[in-house]
Amino acid sequence: MFDTHAHYDFNDFDPWRAQLFDELSKQGVNKVLIPGVSLSRSVKQISVAKQFDCYYALGMHPWYLPKDISQSLVKLDNLLSEQREDASLVALGECGLDKLVDGFDKQVELFEGQLALAHQYELPVILHCVRAHEEVLARLKQQNLAKAGVVHGFYGSTELAKRYISLGYKLGIGGLLLRDNAKKLQEAVAHIPLEHMVVETDNVKFTVQDASDFPAYCQKIQKITTKIANLQNLPTVFVVEQLVRNSLQLLEV
Ligand SMILES: [Zn+2]
């Protein structure tokens, strides 16, 4: 299985990381993408990715708005240029727009700058989008990226999903799907062809309590995949294989 979005570089995982990756591999999760959230974390992020043989993406999340947008875009440009020969660098992100946090105008400036860099470095993007789908879609249409990308943590209707798909984007399906009240998402997942989806845990936290049951913590991808298989009325083995193929195709790895 391929977890296309997990923040295993975050500090919570420091004491547990080796054990965690051990358990993940026992459970068949042998590919993980660690997305970037801010440039100040990139050194650790890249070193964790190297140590545990993960893919990674570099980018600036709208929750971590830098003070000086244009300067930070120059820094990201330099970092991408330094790392461009690294085969583990597979995407730009997270980047996007989020109306639940402040500074929307700055977010737009940062997002547009990152889309331009994704174009320049020919990378797919990992999108974070909350209550700003119209604004994000408009910019994706403007900056027609050859490799498109993924709408991470997708939550929306079948119709919204189809609009992203028509631009070549995949939908990152995560833990929200497992909630009983996520009817809209479940309906979308039931109706969209499987080839447009990838799966993700978006794991960010790890506590001592989680550590008391490592296997359960690591089963999240399996649970989401099984749910997709049920909604699509397809055998789980088939769905697992197709989702891995979709991820490899998205990231060209
Ligand atoms: Zn994330």
Side-chain angles (χ1 to χ4, degrees):
M1 285 175 281
F2 196 145
D3 185 350
T4 60
H5 199 113
H7 295 277
Y8 290 143
D9 57 319
F10 281 11
N11 297 349
D12 259 14
F13 297 101
D14 286 354
W16 312 103
R17 202 169 281 117
Q19 246 178 300
L20 178 74
F21 276 97
D22 209 36
E23 181 61 34
L24 286 171
S25 95
K26 271 188 210 154
Q27 295 200 22
V29 185
N30 37 31
K31 292 189 187 337
V32 173
L33 193 166
I34 302 179
V37 292
S38 80
L39 299 184
S40 61
R41 289 170 183 255
S42 62
V43 172
K44 180 174 176 191
Q45 189 204 344
I46 295 170
S47 102
V48 168
K50 293 279 143 200
Q51 192 183 347
F52 295 96
D53 201 17
C54 296
Y55 297 109
Y56 66 93
L58 295 170
M60 292 175 273
H61 192 292
W63 292 0
Y64 300 80
L65 268 188
K67 275 207 182 97
D68 187 331
I69 305 282
S70 48
Q71 192 190 40
S72 67
L73 286 166
V74 171
K75 280 189 192 159
L76 178 58
D77 188 355
N78 292 338
L79 187 59
L80 290 167
S81 150
E82 273 166 34
Q83 300 298 126
R84 73 185 311 171
E85 300 302 327
D86 184 351
S88 311
L89 170 66
V90 291
L92 189 148
E94 302 178 47
C95 61
L97 301 173
D98 189 330
K99 286 204 178 147
L100 293 183
V101 294
D102 289 342
F104 196 72
D105 290 347
K106 290 208 157 199
Q107 289 183 32
V108 168
E109 193 187 337
L110 187 65
F111 182 41
E112 288 178 344
Q114 292 187 93
L115 289 179
L117 288 173
H119 175 74
Q120 186 187 328
Y121 288 94
E122 298 179 348
L123 290 168
V125 286
I126 299 171
L127 299 168
H128 169 101
C129 178
V130 176
R131 296 193 188 170
H133 289 293
E134 293 307 324
E135 291 86 343
V136 165
L137 280 159
R139 279 156 188 90
L140 297 180
K141 270 182 209 156
Q142 252 164 32
Q143 183 65 265
N144 184 14
L145 296 175
K147 295 191 179 160
V150 56
V151 189
H152 128 73
F154 178 76
Y155 188 88
S157 63
T158 309
E159 193 212 339
L160 179 66
K162 283 183 177 162
R163 291 174 68 195
Y164 280 108
I165 290 168
S166 72
L167 297 175
Y169 286 78
K170 296 207 188 298
L171 310 170
I173 308 297
L176 278 174
L177 186 69
L178 302 174
R179 293 196 191 161
D180 286 334
N181 59 1
K183 296 290 176 226
K184 193 162 61 169
L185 178 61
Q186 288 165 7
E187 202 205 286
V189 167
H191 289 100
I192 287 154
L194 186 60
E195 69 209 62
H196 302 300
M197 294 177 224
V198 296
V199 270
E200 57 171 66
T201 57
D202 199 13
N203 280 342
V204 288
K205 280 195 212 123
F206 197 83
T207 61
V208 175
Q209 218 179 340
D210 293 319
S212 69
D213 201 349
F214 261 109
Y217 187 86
C218 297
Q219 274 159 17
K220 197 163 158 192
I221 274 285
Q222 181 66 55
K223 284 184 191 148
I224 300 165
T225 305
T226 306
K227 183 81 182 171
I228 295 174
N230 292 341
L231 289 165
Q232 290 254 326
N233 228 342
L234 290 167
T236 307
V237 214
F238 174 83
V239 173
V240 168
E241 281 177 12
Q242 183 64 46
L243 290 170
V244 171
R245 262 200 301 275
N246 297 347
S247 313
L248 299 176
Q249 186 216 347
L250 164 73
L251 304 166
E252 293 193 351
V253 290

